[in-house]
Amino acid sequence: MVWVILIALITSVVTLSFAIIRTKWIYKQPVKDGKLGIIAGHIADGAMAFLKREYKILIPFIFFVALFLGIGNKGYIKFQFISFILGAFCSGLSGYIGMKVATASNSRTTSAAEHSLNSALKVAFRGGSVMGLTVTGLALLGLFVILILGTSIFGIDRDSLKEIVFPILTGYSLGASSVALFARVGGGIYTKAADVGADLVGKVEAGIPEDDPRNPATIADNVGDNVGDVAGMGADLFESFVGSIVGAMILGISAAASDKMQVKLAFFPIVIVGVGALCSIIGMYFVRIREGNSPQFALNMGTFGAAILTTLLVLPVSYFMFRNETFNNDSTYFDIFIATFSGLAAGVGIGISTQLFTGTGTGPVKKIVHACKTGSATNIITGIGVGMLSTVAPVIIIVLAIIIANTLAGFYGVGISALGMLLTLSIQLAVDAYGPIADNAGGLAVMSEFPKIVRERTDELDAVGNTTAAIGKGFAIGSAALTSIILFASFQEVSGAGTINLVDTKVLSGVFLGAMIPFLFSALAIDAVGKAAFDMIEEVRKQFRERKGIFDGSEEPDYKRCVDISTKSALTKMLAPGIIAIVAPIFIGFTGGISMLAGLLVGVTTSGVLMATFMSNSGGAWDNAKKTIEADNKVHKSEEMYKASVVGDTVGDPFKDTAGPSLNILIKLMAVISLVIAPMLKNFWG
């Protein structure tokens, strides 16, 4: 199986090489306008400064957890602390690189939009693709390092993999999850504090357009798009990717099969991940726009093309590895292929469902637009209803994927299904990161006083970006649900929990506590945005009141003050939600026992998936309802109707960009922490 481990290295080198090539191409694109370069520089500096300060806060935390793992574990598993540090480092590095290139792509997209829509799409998408390629490449590189060292020292037989190498590997997933949570929560608080302040005071009170340079919060708003929607999303899917691979490998080595077959099943995830990464690179070349076509069509060509090509290649790969062999009551290579395909299809299905509820021009969004005619209250009521209704289809899709995969290949099938949803992560994340780049490009066009046609082109890209961002969040939620399930199954295996009795009082208590945690977590995250937004609103009002020259352009706003408010709020208020996610499973596990912890995981996964879907989709629908009213001249709109749409959008902002996406990481982090401490709990409870 050494050749399989080498696939991780080869795939990593190929994806990172493409990331380097695209990075060089981005930096070669010209930024001729001096004012554009200066403003873009402020945004890039603000984003990188925030990320550096965030990482400085995380370093002591990483050290403390690594110390806990080194002391708490026995035998060779104590080396888990090394893989934890590596996972945290790779996750942080991928966010840093992705955001560095994204901030460089913003201004270049604006410049390219002067020439054509296709040129602007090309720059924005290639900038986003660096994030996708870097996440996949670094994730696989870290896995290769741990696996090649672990198998070289301890061997590649079934027992050493199950008892030593894979438990050490779980630390890598924990490191990725830990950084991801703080990156998501911190970035979400930052971006929404600035966005809400800029919208409510600038648009509603002062009546100035979005991204108007007279708005003191506009630079902070653009910085927030990068730290929240690029670095945050990248860290989120980095840990989903790693968690699903590790979970599937653990399920494979524990499957009902011969020792030789178990080893094959354990390493199969590495092979199909390599296939998916290479197909994603090919799919990126399908993203081309022709005159008269929508950018959405071009992006769909890339994502669907990569998904179809991956599906076609996974079948022969499955046959090559498992031909004439069976496991789990006669499951064959074709059963494994269908289980993988069920996850891939589920990801596409969730994306389509999300687009139907949040996309511009869809029925639910039109419904919210109509509700704006009677004010903010009806807009908010309608948006909440849309968000709640949007949970139905994704849950049914996830359930179908679980049932199909489990029927064909047992719980290993569920693990492979979860991984199937993430096989084309490189291009999925590229499409998602494209959105904030296009958004920033539009803001820079206004602030740099480019011709109107430039803003129209970037707005067209941005409208598609809102939909791709919503689809990305739906996709992240679906992958979080399946990843959490396989991590839970792995925890059950490692801890020796056996069959979980749902009518046991400890298990039921754990279920209720787990179901409550997403509400507590969301309350803290939304409250943090509310408090930070309050400070931002007061600051913007103060500058408008005291600096009269801002409105006629004779005086420049104090942008740095607003950036500082968002930064301090994000870094101080991200700690409480993060501590809850980390402490809860440890406390319950060591005080309530393994069965109570199992109940906690069931509750937090069920409640968290529903809450995340509701908040992400309602926020996305509110956002595109506002965009529809802004852009569609056919809509019979009034000033009050527009203000109502802005209020709805600001309510949805912390839903879709702070609390909602952070819940994905919450449920996965709690599951992976439980998996990591499972050997300790087994020893503690005898």
Side-chain angles (χ1 to χ4, degrees):
M1 286 291 113
V2 175
W3 67 270
V4 175
I5 300 175
L6 290 175
I7 288 176
L9 176 63
I10 294 167
T11 307
S12 172
V13 170
V14 171
T15 52
L16 290 175
S17 297
F18 269 87
I20 292 170
I21 291 169
R22 295 210 158 189
T23 298
K24 289 182 177 179
W25 184 87
I26 290 291
Y27 278 97
K28 285 181 180 179
Q29 304 311 301
V31 181
K32 297 178 182 178
D33 186 271
K35 188 175 182 180
L36 173 63
I38 292 171
I39 297 173
H42 289 320
I43 294 171
D45 291 344
M48 300 313 297
F50 170 78
L51 207 61
K52 288 176 182 177
R53 288 175 65 177
E54 184 179 53
Y55 287 173
K56 284 180 181 178
I57 291 174
L58 290 180
I59 288 173
F61 163 77
I62 292 168
F63 173 78
F64 174 79
V65 176
L67 187 65
F68 170 76
L69 293 174
I71 295 173
N73 283 311
K74 295 180 179 180
Y76 291 116
I77 301 178
K78 68 175 60 178
F79 291 114
Q80 199 177 62
F81 82 93
I82 298 175
S83 65
F84 169 79
I85 293 172
L86 182 62
F89 174 77
C90 288
S91 179
L93 182 61
S94 65
Y96 182 89
I97 294 172
M99 197 172 75
K100 183 83 173 175
V101 176
T103 53
S105 303
N106 299 335
S107 55
R108 288 162 174 83
T109 302
T110 306
S111 294
E114 277 195 296
H115 302 291
S116 68
L117 182 65
N118 186 42
S119 298
L121 172 66
K122 188 175 182 180
V123 175
F125 178 73
R126 289 198 172 188
S129 69
V130 173
M131 178 85 260
L133 293 166
T134 302
V135 163
T136 304
L138 287 177
L140 288 171
L141 183 61
L143 284 169
F144 166 77
V145 170
I146 297 167
L147 288 173
I148 199 69
L149 289 176
T151 54
S152 298
I153 296 170
F154 304 110
I156 205 166
D157 60 283
R158 182 255 186 202
D159 290 336
S160 63
L161 290 174
K162 185 176 182 179
E163 302 298 330
I164 302 174
V165 178
F166 288 174
I168 291 173
L169 192 60
T170 58
Y172 185 66
S173 181
L174 178 61
S177 297
S178 301
V179 170
L181 182 69
F182 289 107
R184 227 352 168 174
V185 175
I189 293 170
Y190 187 112
T191 183
K192 291 306 109 180
D195 197 3
V196 171
D199 280 357
L200 287 183
V201 183
K203 292 180 180 178
V204 177
E205 294 181 6
I208 59 178
E210 186 169 9
D211 296 316
D212 193 301
R214 294 172 294 176
N215 192 329
T218 191
I219 294 291
D221 186 11
N222 282 274
V223 170
D225 288 337
N226 293 286
V227 300
D229 293 337
V230 178
M233 175 58 87
D236 182 353
L237 289 174
F238 181 98
E239 61 101 20
S240 268
F241 189 58
V242 170
S244 62
I245 295 173
V246 173
M249 293 179 81
I250 291 173
L251 291 176
I253 205 68
S254 304
S258 64
D259 288 359
K260 182 181 178 182
M261 185 64 172
Q262 284 178 334
V263 173
K264 281 188 176 183
L265 291 170
F267 283 101
F268 179 65
I270 298 290
V271 180
I272 59 174
V273 160
V275 170
L278 297 178
C279 291
S280 292
I281 292 173
I282 296 171
M284 289 176 185
Y285 288 96
F286 295 162
V287 181
R288 298 177 183 275
I289 187 170
R290 295 179 181 177
E291 197 65 36
N293 284 346
S294 165
Q296 183 71 65
F297 176 80
L299 295 171
N300 286 344
M301 283 291 293
T303 52
F304 291 143
I308 292 169
L309 189 57
T310 301
T311 302
L312 294 175
L313 291 178
V314 167
L315 178 57
V317 167
S318 303
Y319 174 77
F320 173 75
M321 288 196 69
F322 303 114
R323 64 189 183 280
N324 302 323
E325 295 188 75
T326 61
F327 77 105
N328 191 57
N329 298 325
D330 296 330
S331 296
T332 66
Y333 76 91
F334 192 72
D335 295 316
I336 294 174
F337 163 71
I338 295 298
T340 308
F341 175 72
S342 70
L344 195 61
V348 174
I350 291 172
I352 292 171
S353 169
T354 304
Q355 189 169 350
L356 290 174
F357 275 92
T358 63
T360 305
T362 60
V365 171
K366 287 180 179 178
K367 191 177 178 182
I368 294 174
V369 170
H370 181 74
C372 291
K373 293 180 180 179
T374 49
S376 301
T378 48
N379 174 27
I380 292 170
I381 291 168
T382 305
I384 289 174
V386 165
M388 289 180 172
L389 186 61
S390 72
T391 63
V392 176
V395 169
I396 291 174
I397 291 169
I398 290 168
V399 168
L400 287 173
I402 292 170
I403 292 173
I404 292 169
N406 185 68
T407 301
L408 293 172
F411 241 106
Y412 179 74
V414 178
I416 289 298
S417 179
L419 188 57
M421 194 177 285
L422 293 164
L423 288 184
T424 56
L425 176 65
S426 294
I427 192 166
Q428 288 160 346
L429 190 50
V431 169
D432 195 65
Y434 142 92
I437 293 174
D439 188 8
N440 267 210
L444 288 169
V446 173
M447 288 185 279
S448 305
E449 299 176 334
F450 270 63
K452 187 179 178 181
I453 185 65
V454 175
R455 179 63 194 231
E456 289 174 355
R457 286 170 178 161
T458 58
D459 276 350
E460 189 173 348
L461 295 178
D462 185 27
V464 174
N466 284 332
T467 303
T468 59
I471 292 171
K473 291 180 178 72
F475 169 81
I477 292 165
S479 67
L482 290 177
T483 302
S484 297
I485 290 169
I486 64 171
L487 289 172
F488 173 74
S490 302
F491 161 76
Q492 193 176 3
E493 171 70 26
V494 174
S495 66
T499 303
I500 305 297
N501 183 6
L502 286 176
V503 296
D504 180 87
T505 53
K506 279 195 171 184
V507 176
L508 274 176
S509 299
V511 170
F512 276 106
L513 288 172
M516 170 272 295
I517 285 177
F519 287 86
L520 174 60
F521 180 90
S522 299
L524 291 172
I526 291 172
D527 185 58
V529 173
K531 289 177 179 177
F534 180 87
D535 293 339
M536 186 69 71
I537 289 168
E538 289 295 299
E539 175 61 29
V540 176
R541 284 174 176 169
K542 179 183 176 183
Q543 291 196 34
F544 282 162
R545 185 172 60 249
E546 296 179 358
R547 300 186 176 205
K548 302 296 183 184
I550 287 177
F551 286 100
D552 61 18
S554 62
E555 192 173 0
E556 189 176 81
D558 186 354
Y559 300 119
K560 288 184 179 179
R561 175 63 186 152
C562 292
V563 169
D564 192 53
I565 288 172
S566 273
T567 302
K568 287 182 177 178
S569 298
L571 295 178
T572 56
K573 292 181 173 64
M574 73 178 184
L575 297 176
I579 290 170
I580 287 172
I582 294 164
V583 171
I586 297 173
F587 178 77
I588 295 297
F590 283 101
T591 59
I594 293 172
S595 60
M596 192 171 182
L597 178 54
L600 185 85
L601 296 179
V602 171
V604 74
T605 301
T606 307
S607 172
V609 167
L610 290 168
M611 281 280 287
T613 304
F614 156 64
M615 289 195 287
S616 294
N617 288 347
S618 58
W622 270 317
D623 191 358
N624 270 340
K626 182 200 70 173
K627 287 281 194 299
T628 299
I629 292 173
E630 285 177 335
D632 194 346
N633 294 323
K634 295 178 182 179
V635 176
H636 181 65
K637 55 189 175 185
S638 63
E639 185 179 351
E640 292 305 314
M641 180 183 179
Y642 177 61
K643 287 183 178 180
S645 74
V646 173
V647 171
D649 181 39
T650 54
V651 171
D653 277 339
F655 276 32
K656 70 180 175 66
D657 290 326
T658 308
S662 298
L663 286 173
N664 305 330
I665 307 169
L666 170 76
I667 61 178
K668 289 176 291 186
L669 178 59
M670 289 181 65
V672 78
I673 287 174
S674 301
L675 177 59
V676 167
I677 65 172
M680 302 181 202
L681 293 174
K682 194 174 182 179
N683 292 327
F684 183 80
W685 292 103

